[in-house]
Structures are given as C-alpha cells and as structure tokens.
Amino acid sequence: MDETLRRLQAGEQQVARVAQEVLGRLPQQVEAALAGASGDVRTSVGEAARTAQSAALDEVRRALAQHSTAMRDALSLDRDGPVQALRRDVLEQVHASRQELGEQLTQMRALLQAAEAHKAASAKSTRAIGLEWENQAMAIADEVITAAGDRFEPTGSTPAPGGTSRAGDGIATLCAPIAHGRPVRIVVEAKRRSKPLTARQLREELNRSRNLRQAAAGLVLVPTSDEVPGGGRWARVDDASWVVAADDPTVVSLCYLILREMTALLTVRQDDGDEIDLAKVEAHLKWAMSALTELDEVGRLATSAERNLNQLKVVGAGVQKKIRDALTNGLAALHT
C-alpha cells in the first residue's frame, strides 16, 4: 500500500513538472509570435500570458491536490473506501477461517483425548478382567491341588528365581510319597483371551514358565472349552503340558491327578535306583487317560445333544403354531 502511494505521488509530481514546463514556455512562445508588434501590445499580451500562466498553474496544483486527496482517501485504511472494505472483508474471512480451524482442532483434540481415555479404560478393564480370572483360577487350583495332598503356592506377583519375570501364576509341589522325596513341581497358568491362544502358543508359554519356575510339568486353566485347543474339555499340548477348561472342577481335578502321576512317573524313570513297577503305573495311567478321553467325548456329546434339544424345541414350537393356526382357520371356515 505504501509503495502504491509513493508511485501515485511520483506520478502527480511528474504531471505537475510537465504542466509547469509547458506553461513556463508560454510567455516566450507568445513573445515570439508577437515579435513584429508594438511594445505596448507585447507588454499587454505578456502580462496577460503570465497571468494566465499563474492561474493555470494554480488550477493544475489544485486539481492535483484534489486528485491526491481523493486517491489517498480511496487507498487509506483509516477512512471508508474500497481498500478499507477489502481489508475488512479479508480480515473477516481470515478471522472466520481461524475460528473454524480452531473449532476443528478443538474437536480433533477432544476426539484424541476420548480415544486415549477409551484405550486406557479398555487396557485397565482388560487387566482387571485378567486379574479377576487369575484369582478365580488360582482359587480353583488351590482347592484341587490341596485336595490331592500337594502344596500350592501362588506366584503371580513373585519374580522367578534368578530374574524379574513373573511367568507362572502358581506352583504345585508334589507331596513326598508320590515324588519319592524329590522336589517335583508343576507350574499353573491362568489364561483368558478374547482370541484364544493356539496349541503352539500355549506350549511356548508353558515351556517358558516351566523353565523359569524349574517345574517338570505345566497346567493352563482357561474359563471354558472355547479356549481349549480342539474345543474339548482338556488338551495335551505336549507330554507334560495340559490345558483344561476350569468351568467343571471335576474335570480339572481328574486332569491334575493324571498329570501329577505322569510327572512323578517321568521323574522316577530318570532315577535307575528306584525300585518301582513302572509298567504297572504306566498301565494305570493309560487306563485313566482313556477314561478321561471318554469323559471328554461324553461332554462333547452332551453339548451337541443340548444344542439339538434346543433346536427340537424351536422346531416343535413352530410346528405347534402351524397346527394351531390351521385348526383356527379351519374352524373359522366352518362357521362362515
């Protein structure tokens, strides 16, 4: 804006100089034209020319001054005019854009804060659910292990020996008669996932816990059979690692009893000095495993039968409704 005003002023000054030069040459031109006239005539004409020159210069100056004033008023930011109106419109648009951008940033910030709060709440809720299940599972394990005559110790908040890892939620130490005086341990894990772990993942989890807790075997307790690999009540993910659905304490107890016997057998087999009929023990364990498999199959069939029974109830209700509607329509037809 200042540069425009400077250019306008320079143009006005240039116009004034040209006008002054033209009017300044007017007396000489008039005298040249009247060279042959008398002195009085030249004097009178010269005076008239100078008067006209002065008046013309004054008029040019006034016109230029008015023009300058008008241009300054038009370009001024302090007076009403097109430039001021343009400036006001631009400022209003900039203000509106800033306000809109500020509102959008505020909304985005609120959304981010809500997302962070939801994430934190979800994480907290997930941890709370996991901790709640761990407490329930360890209570079940304590009851089952203690009933078998073994000693149970919750270790979920205790680092494993020689490190800081808290893998292994509980430790079952077999009683002396079955362990033949050896420190035989079974690590117990509580797992609950929205997406069930695979057999491979469970095996890796148990192997890590067994190594850290110096345990010979491992047992994972999950809430329902939906999280057991294969969909049964229990599953073996390797020779000394089992997964059991804890919603049936009887199955948990049977699986633990068989696992402890197998673990003790494997431990005894490593010591050639023990005088024990391993073949007889293995035969009993195989029979128990077979019975447990049959029990699991019974559970599967019962679940399937329950689903079929529910389906039969639904179909039966539909058939009853159809019969009732047919009889009602028939009676209505007889009375019409």
Side-chain angles (χ1 to χ4, degrees), residues 204-223:
E204 292 175 352
E205 288 271 353
L206 278 177
N207 287 339
R208 187 167 67 93
S209 299
R210 287 167 57 183
N211 291 333
L212 289 171
R213 296 294 180 178
Q214 301 174 2
L219 177 66
V220 176
L221 298 180
V222 296

Side-chain angles (χ1 to χ4, degrees), residues 83 222 268 315:
V83 175
V222 296
V268 170
V315 173

Side-chain angles (χ1 to χ4, degrees), residues 32-86:
L34 298 175
S38 62
D40 293 338
V41 173
R42 286 198 304 271
T43 301
S44 298
V45 173
E47 289 295 333
R50 280 190 289 272
T51 301
Q53 178 189 31
S54 178
L57 285 174
D58 291 340
E59 187 68 25
V60 170
R61 290 191 184 96
R62 282 194 298 271
L64 290 174
Q66 292 176 357
H67 175 71
S68 298
T69 302
M71 292 302 298
R72 289 191 181 92
D73 292 343
L75 298 176
S76 175
L77 297 177
D78 300 324
R79 300 179 183 180
D80 290 337
V83 175
Q84 187 187 50
L86 177 61

Side-chain angles (χ1 to χ4, degrees), residues 110-178:
L111 290 174
L112 289 174
Q113 291 175 351
E116 291 177 357
H118 177 71
K119 182 179 179 180
S122 299
K124 183 178 180 180
S125 176
T126 302
R127 288 194 298 270
I129 292 173
L131 182 60
E132 181 182 3
W133 168 243
E134 179 181 332
N135 293 334
Q136 294 177 3
M138 292 305 101
I140 296 172
D142 187 10
E143 181 178 354
V144 169
I145 292 169
T146 304
D150 300 332
R151 180 168 56 87
F152 177 74
E153 177 186 2
T155 57
S157 58
T158 305
T164 59
S165 175
R166 288 180 169 80
D169 298 319
I171 294 293
T173 303
L174 281 88
C175 60
I178 191 174

Side-chain angles (χ1 to χ4, degrees), residues 209-286:
S209 299
R210 287 167 57 183
N211 291 333
L212 289 171
R213 296 294 180 178
Q214 301 174 2
L219 177 66
V220 176
L221 298 180
V222 296
T224 65
S225 58
D226 293 336
E227 296 190 39
V228 177
R233 309 297 304 170
W234 60 277
R236 293 176 66 185
V237 292
D238 70 12
D239 290 341
S241 298
W242 287 36
V243 181
V244 184
D247 55 354
D248 189 344
T250 301
V251 174
V252 176
S253 179
L254 291 174
C255 289
Y256 176 73
L257 291 174
I258 295 175
L259 178 61
R260 73 194 286 266
E261 294 290 343
M262 291 180 62
T263 304
L265 176 62
L266 291 173
T267 305
V268 170
R269 179 177 287 171
Q270 294 174 0
D271 190 345
D272 297 333
D274 268 313
E275 296 180 358
I276 186 170
D277 191 348
L278 297 180
K280 185 177 180 180
V281 175
E282 286 181 341
H284 283 291
L285 286 176
K286 288 180 179 179

